[in-house]
Amino acid sequence: MSPTAVANATDVRDLLLTSLVPSQTNRRFQRNEDADRQMLESIKVRGVIQPIVARPKGDLYEIVCGHRRFEFSGKAGRKTIPAVVRELTDLEALELQNIENLHREDLDIFDRALAAQDLVEAYRTAGEKNAIAKACEKLQFKDRTFYNLISLTKLCEAAQSRVREGTLPMSLAYEVAREPVLGQARILKYIQDEEKSWRTPSVRQVKEFIQ
């Protein structure tokens, strides 16, 4: 689901960059320098292809989706940016933000997990009885896939570093994340000890060790 799909193409208008303000609920994720460079060069040459989504905020407009496009439009020397302007509640705005983030191909897996958790918390705050089911339905995720994703928000920094380095398979990371943070170091040490023998333990072996 693309955030701009919520609006008809006829809703697009050009807004002055000076009339836009960032959203306070937009999470700052880790940046990919190559992706940022490509976006800047693209905007310099072709302008912004996909309109941002904004909502009225007093005399100005608050950016709901498209903060990077807004940022790089300024760096590219643009004065305006195409935008879909919608009247959105706080929940609707947060929902769109997190759906867009979860569909970004360049987003770090742990940032995706945080975006998914943010969406769940937004539904809980709104009084949704089964917030996780609601998020799965909205994102069209299978329950297991979604549970695995948000479990990564509980993964200790050492395990996160190993995942980013590619030395801890995601299948094992999910198992580690299910344990309390204090117990995760013990599991990581077991995995490392096994790797010293030139073998990475299986999910079954890790589960048996945890038990």
Side-chain angles (χ1 to χ4, degrees):
M1 172 182 176
S2 169
T4 52
V6 300
N8 190 288
T10 57
D11 295 326
V12 178
R13 67 181 82 169
D14 286 330
L15 296 179
L16 290 170
L17 297 185
T18 53
S19 71
L20 289 156
V21 294
S23 167
Q24 295 301 308
T25 57
N26 183 59
R27 186 184 283 277
R28 296 290 183 264
F29 295 113
Q30 293 195 41
R31 301 295 289 262
N32 182 308
E33 292 185 3
D34 288 338
D36 285 351
R37 191 180 305 111
Q38 291 174 10
M39 178 175 285
L40 177 58
E41 291 305 314
S42 175
I43 291 176
K44 283 181 178 178
V45 175
R46 293 182 287 273
V48 173
I49 305 300
Q50 181 183 12
I52 67 170
V53 178
R55 63 174 178 166
K57 190 80 169 179
D59 295 330
L60 301 173
Y61 297 93
E62 179 184 75
I63 303 168
V64 176
C65 302
H67 289 78
R68 290 170 67 242
R69 278 163 276 163
F70 166 76
E71 176 187 341
F72 290 119
S73 290
K75 291 182 177 180
R78 301 274 172 173
K79 301 299 182 184
T80 62
I81 189 170
V84 174
V85 178
R86 295 287 311 278
E87 292 284 353
L88 297 168
T89 66
D90 290 345
L91 176 60
E92 289 170 335
L94 187 60
E95 185 180 66
L96 285 178
Q97 284 174 348
N98 286 295
I99 289 173
E100 181 188 56
N101 285 327
L102 281 161
H103 284 84
R104 276 176 51 188
E105 294 181 357
D106 65 326
L107 203 63
D108 176 271
I109 184 65
F110 297 106
D111 287 335
R112 286 171 58 83
L114 289 171
Q117 186 63 46
D118 284 347
L119 188 57
V120 171
E121 292 303 324
Y123 288 139
R124 283 175 177 159
T125 301
E128 184 67 43
K129 291 183 178 180
N130 195 333
I132 291 181
K134 175 75 172 179
C136 288
E137 176 187 356
K138 183 64 67 172
L139 297 169
Q140 298 182 342
F141 276 27
K142 293 182 179 179
D143 289 357
R144 182 178 180 81
T145 301
F146 193 78
Y147 274 107
N148 279 339
L149 181 61
I150 62 176
S151 74
L152 296 178
T153 61
K154 300 180 175 65
L155 204 60
C156 66
E157 290 186 9
Q160 288 188 28
S161 295
R162 289 203 55 184
V163 170
R164 289 191 173 106
E165 293 165 359
T167 58
L168 180 64
M170 289 305 307
S171 58
L172 298 186
Y174 294 138
E175 297 304 321
V176 175
R178 291 189 177 94
E179 295 300 305
V181 172
L182 292 178
Q184 291 182 18
R186 184 177 68 91
I187 304 169
L188 285 177
K189 185 178 185 307
Y190 162 72
I191 295 172
Q192 290 168 341
D193 288 344
E194 290 293 298
E195 289 171 341
K196 289 177 183 177
S197 301
W198 301 98
R199 61 177 182 271
T200 299
S202 66
V203 171
R204 180 181 60 80
Q205 288 172 319
V206 171
K207 285 182 175 180
E208 288 176 352
F209 173 79
I210 292 172
Q211 293 174 354

